[in-house]
Amino acid sequence: MIKIEGLCKKYGDKVALNNLNVQINDGEIFGLIGHNGAGKSTTIKTLVSVINSDSGKIFIDNKSLSENRNEIKKSIGYVSDTPDLFLKLPVKSYWDFISKVFEINDEDKESRIEELKKVFSIDEKFDCTIEELSHGMRQKVFIVGALISNPKIWILDEPMTGLDPQSSFNLKKLMREHTRKGNIVLFSTHVLEVAEALCDRICILKEGKVLFVGTLEELKSKNIGETLEDIYLKMISEEGAISE
């Protein structure tokens, strides 16, 4: 379980997160929904310790992130919204590096990489560096890197961006299989159709504030006869908030 309590973050005078309170349960796909600048990536970067919040607390399986950061990091697989890290590294070196960080033995590493390469239709031997790849292929490389250790918690920031339709379909299938085992998948998107097809619950953000947390059925029950797109656009144009 992930529990976020009173999370706040500013960049200068801009409020990125404004008293964010969210709980993400084991066994669910949880979607962060919102326009660019809504606070999705800031929330995710705080969860994976890329940045620190100004105030508030995060608990993973009842352990404080601030007090157990290194231990908790090993339970998280993270895909950034911009696949531009480690660009000078050859692909294989990047995967080897990730495997060492997560203390994966060579046999398990190779088995896991081969399995994921098949899932994402990666045929290249990858003697090239990451920067030589297309955006979509970079995305596949970083997704594979995030999943090599088979972590309990997957945190994916706009993970479908750049993926071909088959790879996108396969990733969604993996997400469902992962949560059926009692694990967590947290991902961000601004594509409402993806959220509707995948998520057990969603959180709609606007300017760092929570407008809604709950299931899509709960959201639609409050807006009978309206499409998800209509509901979403209406909500972000209003100041009111709806929650469970």
Side-chain angles (χ1 to χ4, degrees):
M1 180 182 71
I2 299 173
K3 193 170 185 179
I4 300 171
E5 297 181 347
L7 208 63
C8 296
K9 178 67 179 179
K10 282 186 176 181
Y11 298 105
D13 294 331
K14 178 178 172 54
V15 177
L17 296 177
N18 189 348
N19 193 34
L20 186 69
N21 292 280
V22 174
Q23 180 171 305
I24 303 164
N25 302 312
D26 291 344
E28 72 177 1
I29 299 177
F30 190 91
L32 290 177
I33 315 299
H35 280 24
N36 294 337
K40 304 187 302 298
S41 291
T42 299
T43 301
I44 284 174
K45 285 181 170 64
T46 305
L47 283 170
V48 299
S49 301
V50 171
I51 61 175
N52 292 320
S53 63
D54 297 329
S55 59
K57 297 178 181 180
I58 296 174
F59 298 92
I60 311 288
D61 291 336
N62 297 315
K63 294 180 180 179
S64 167
L65 176 60
S66 62
E67 296 173 7
N68 302 274
R69 201 171 296 277
N70 288 336
E71 176 188 350
I72 288 172
K73 280 183 179 181
K74 291 185 177 180
S75 69
I76 295 174
Y78 168 53
V79 175
S80 170
D81 60 332
T82 52
D84 55 5
L85 301 172
F86 305 104
L87 295 183
K88 300 296 182 182
L89 278 180
V91 174
K92 187 178 183 304
S93 297
Y94 172 68
W95 287 339
D96 288 343
F97 168 71
I98 294 296
S99 299
K100 287 180 181 179
V101 168
F102 284 88
E103 300 177 335
I104 306 166
N105 64 53
D106 288 343
E107 183 178 351
D108 289 342
K109 176 193 70 176
E110 294 302 327
S111 174
R112 185 70 172 156
I113 288 174
E114 286 306 311
E115 176 186 345
L116 290 168
K117 283 172 67 176
K118 290 178 182 177
V119 169
F120 294 106
S121 302
I122 299 174
D123 300 321
E124 291 87 344
K125 293 183 179 180
F126 282 139
D127 296 322
C128 62
T129 62
I130 296 174
E131 70 179 351
E132 295 177 75
L133 303 175
S134 66
H135 177 82
M137 192 58 71
R138 288 185 192 181
Q139 187 77 347
K140 292 182 182 184
V141 166
F142 288 119
I143 291 173
V144 170
L147 304 187
I148 288 175
S149 65
N150 196 24
K152 175 185 176 181
I153 300 170
W154 296 0
I155 298 181
L156 315 174
D157 201 349
E158 302 283 359
M160 287 30 160
T161 302
L163 293 184
D164 58 83
Q166 185 64 58
S167 295
S168 181
F169 176 85
N170 291 347
L171 177 58
K172 294 171 190 176
K173 184 178 178 181
L174 283 182
M175 292 163 71
R176 293 189 186 97
E177 291 173 352
H178 193 63
T179 55
R180 276 199 290 267
K181 298 174 184 176
N183 301 309
I184 290 173
V185 173
L186 165 63
F187 80 103
S188 70
T189 184
H190 58 267
V191 182
L192 299 178
E193 292 82 359
V194 172
E196 190 166 18
L198 270 181
C199 295
D200 298 298
R201 290 193 303 137
I202 63 170
C203 173
I204 298 177
L205 296 173
K206 177 187 176 184
E207 297 176 352
K209 294 181 181 179
V210 174
L211 299 185
F212 173 84
V213 179
T215 67
L216 286 161
E217 289 75 16
E218 290 168 338
L219 182 60
K220 289 181 177 180
S221 71
K222 301 173 187 295
N223 301 270
I224 296 172
E226 296 185 69
T227 66
L228 179 58
E229 182 179 39
D230 289 338
I231 297 168
Y232 171 75
L233 292 175
K234 181 177 69 174
M235 289 182 68
I236 64 169
S237 66
E238 297 173 350
E239 291 298 323
I242 306 172
S243 62
E244 288 180 301

